[in-house]
Amino acid sequence: MNDQLEETKDLIQGLSEPLYRYISRIAPSGLDFVFHIIVKILLLIAIFLVIDFVFKVIINSVFRIFRNKEKYPAINSIYESRITNSIAHLIALLIIGSIHESIFAGALTKTTTFIIRCVNLGLVMIFAGMLYRGLTAFRNYFVIKQDFYKIMALNAISETVKILGIFLFSVVGICVIFGIKGTTIVGSLGAITAVLVLVFRDTILGFVTGLHVATSKNLKVGDWVNIPKYNIEGNIAEINLLTTKINNFDRTFSTIPTYDLLTTEIKNMQVISETNGRRIKKSIFFNINSFKFLNDEDIERLKSINLISDYLSERSLELKKEKENMAHKEEIINGRQLTNIGVFRYYAQKYIERIPELDKEGPIMVRQLNSTPQGLPLEIYAFTNDTEWVRFEEIQSDIFDHLLVASKEFDLEVMQVKV
């Protein structure tokens, strides 16, 4: 390799000497030095572009052989992130750094330091680009593997590394351009460390949150979430270092600070979609003053309702037997009695049990909650077997439409705001 490089230097030197003499003859008096510098820089750029193009074609051609993403996910990740282009840039720049003195050898010695610094600055920029593309390659790899939790962790890490990388490579670039020691600049940063920590507060919190979310696997891109603090409900579209984007169901989108994923209550509703069941948990408020014991006339009237006919017959006989030997059995309050709210609760239970759109493997329940100033809540608690939003609302509405009207048959008064 060294022999080939020496031969290349000799070839370039042999070709550039006639060019040097030709420029010296045609250049205006006193400007030959400027023309020599311009031509030398243009030659170096042209050589760089040619070498870079050749190596890009060779390297990318080799990587294209391994196109199967399932068999070669790592190779495809590297190719798609264009790290191969950075490798070609690096090789071309290293060759330029080795041969630049062979162009117009022995002349323009004052430009050597300038060219060396330009080459070194180019190396810094190439390594910075390789770092950025390397992070992209990791992300592409996990995208191919569909490991979304690791993608979130990598997003948090990559954003932090990019910020630190920009700072670090900027320091190195300044050192290269002006030829100063890096320790001089780094040492002077000690006095402003507290300021840097304050400036990057959100970045640090976002980085920690990203790692926590990825390791705990509580959230991922695509999850359906509800955030009561911001009154947001939708699907997570992006989780970045500083902000998280959520596509709301009203076709708008919201952004929240990423660190809120760690400090704010978030309901992950994705399990509803994955289990094909969505919960109904809704109440009807009844006026307690409308509650009453059912007399024989009421019971006979309600026996015409098929769902509770057998229940009323059995319960009536059972309760009459209990009161046969009871003192003052003519008083309705003595002993157990059927009430309109209790019979309606039984009716509602039987009604929802027959609805085919409800999940029969999950709980199906009608229950009383604690009394409130607005009345007594009678809650329907069940799960639908369809999570599609419009269909879910239709099922829920059909249930409550029926029960709200049916309650009138039991002489129950539904609470409402009176104007």
Side-chain angles (χ1 to χ4, degrees):
M1 184 68 181
N2 290 333
D3 293 338
Q4 293 176 349
L5 188 59
E6 289 297 328
E7 291 176 2
T8 303
K9 288 181 179 180
D10 294 338
L11 176 62
I12 293 174
Q13 184 174 342
L15 294 173
S16 65
E17 285 180 0
L19 181 61
Y20 181 81
R21 291 193 294 270
Y22 175 75
I23 294 173
S24 299
R25 288 198 305 270
I26 66 171
S29 179
L31 295 177
D32 55 335
F33 179 75
V34 176
F35 274 79
H36 287 143
I37 292 175
I38 294 173
V39 172
K40 183 173 182 178
I41 292 173
L42 291 176
L43 284 173
L44 289 173
I45 293 173
I47 294 171
F48 171 82
L49 293 175
V50 171
I51 297 173
D52 180 65
F53 175 76
V54 171
F55 275 96
K56 276 197 290 189
V57 171
I58 295 172
I59 296 172
N60 288 330
S61 298
V62 173
F63 273 80
R64 287 194 194 99
I65 297 173
F66 307 95
R67 291 183 178 178
N68 193 317
K69 290 187 177 183
E70 294 182 358
K71 288 185 178 180
Y72 312 106
I75 295 176
N76 276 272
S77 301
I78 293 172
Y79 176 72
E80 290 178 1
S81 64
R82 293 292 181 264
I83 293 180
T84 52
N85 291 352
S86 294
I87 295 173
H89 298 336
L90 179 62
I91 296 172
L93 198 59
L94 290 174
I95 293 175
I96 292 298
S98 301
I99 67 173
H100 73 91
E101 292 182 341
S102 300
I103 300 177
F104 304 159
L108 305 178
T109 54
K110 294 181 180 180
T111 63
T112 302
T113 301
F114 171 75
I115 293 174
I116 290 174
R117 289 184 179 180
C118 288
V119 170
N120 290 338
L121 179 61
L123 290 174
V124 171
M125 294 175 66
I126 289 171
F127 279 117
M130 289 182 73
L131 173 65
Y132 177 81
R133 289 175 174 176
L135 293 171
T136 304
F138 275 110
R139 191 179 190 282
N140 291 342
Y141 177 79
F142 292 122
V143 168
I144 294 173
K145 291 290 188 179
Q146 295 187 342
D147 193 336
F148 298 107
Y149 291 109
K150 289 184 180 178
I151 289 173
M152 283 190 299
L154 189 61
N155 284 343
I157 295 172
S158 62
E159 293 293 332
T160 305
V161 171
K162 285 176 190 176
I163 293 173
L164 295 177
I166 290 171
F167 172 73
L168 177 62
F169 285 112
S170 298
V171 172
V172 175
I174 293 172
C175 294
V176 168
I177 293 172
F178 296 102
I180 59 179
K181 293 182 179 180
T183 53
T184 304
I185 294 179
V186 174
S188 63
L189 294 176
I192 59 172
T193 301
V195 177
L196 291 175
V197 171
L198 181 63
V199 170
F200 292 112
R201 171 184 172 273
D202 290 350
T203 302
I204 295 170
L205 289 173
F207 172 71
V208 173
T209 302
L211 291 180
H212 171 75
V213 170
T215 53
S216 65
K217 298 185 177 181
N218 292 329
L219 294 169
K220 67 178 184 296
V221 173
D223 278 1
W224 167 17
V225 296
N226 178 278
I227 308 177
K229 176 181 177 180
Y230 298 110
N231 194 26
I232 291 174
E233 185 170 357
N235 298 109
I236 298 176
E238 295 176 5
I239 300 180
N240 295 320
L241 182 64
L242 298 178
T243 59
T244 294
K245 180 180 177 181
I246 298 173
N247 290 330
N248 301 317
F249 291 145
D250 60 359
R251 297 188 179 181
T252 62
F253 72 88
S254 303
T255 56
I256 63 171
T258 296
Y259 58 78
D260 264 3
L261 301 181
L262 192 61
T263 59
T264 302
E265 177 195 1
I266 297 178
K267 296 180 180 179
N268 192 333
M269 317 285 280
Q270 188 63 22
V271 66
I272 295 176
S273 299
E274 294 173 355
T275 57
N276 198 33
R278 187 168 180 178
R279 186 179 68 176
I280 296 175
K281 187 176 184 291
K282 193 172 181 181
S283 300
I284 300 174
F285 285 78
F286 290 106
N287 186 347
I288 297 176
N289 293 325
S290 66
F291 296 171
K292 67 176 184 177
F293 292 121
L294 295 178
N295 55 35
D296 293 339
E297 183 181 343
D298 293 327
I299 293 173
E300 289 301 318
R301 177 175 58 84
L302 293 175
K303 280 182 179 180
S304 62
I305 301 175
N306 294 335
L307 289 178
I308 58 175
S309 178
D310 292 340
Y311 168 77
L312 289 175
S313 297
E314 293 174 3
R315 291 289 290 167
S316 297
L317 291 174
E318 179 184 338
L319 296 177
K320 284 180 179 179
K321 287 181 181 180
E322 287 185 5
K323 296 185 69 173
E324 284 180 356
N325 300 319
M326 185 180 296
H328 306 293
K329 61 182 179 181
E330 68 279 0
E331 294 293 337
I332 194 170
I333 197 172
N334 291 328
R336 291 189 299 158
Q337 300 292 334
L338 291 172
T339 62
N340 59 346
I341 184 64
V343 173
F344 176 75
R345 177 165 50 83
Y346 181 86
Y347 168 80
Q349 179 72 39
K350 291 301 177 182
Y351 175 76
I352 64 174
E353 286 176 357
R354 291 171 174 259
I355 296 175
E357 291 85 2
L358 295 185
D359 183 8
K360 300 303 185 290
E361 296 182 0
I364 299 178
M365 180 170 48
V366 179
R367 60 176 181 170
Q368 289 184 4
L369 302 181
N370 293 333
S371 298
T372 69
Q374 290 76 37
L376 178 74
L378 196 66
E379 183 184 77
I380 308 299
Y381 191 98
F383 290 85
T384 64
N385 53 24
D386 192 336
T387 59
E388 200 275 321
W389 191 14
V390 174
R391 184 61 186 140
F392 167 78
E393 293 294 344
E394 289 176 352
I395 296 169
Q396 180 175 244
S397 298
D398 286 344
I399 292 172
F400 282 87
D401 288 347
H402 179 88
L403 294 180
L404 285 167
V405 177
S407 64
K408 296 179 181 179
E409 299 295 323
F410 296 82
D411 298 329
L412 291 169
E413 180 184 344
V414 177
M415 293 298 292
Q416 61 179 358
V417 177
K418 295 183 179 180
V419 180

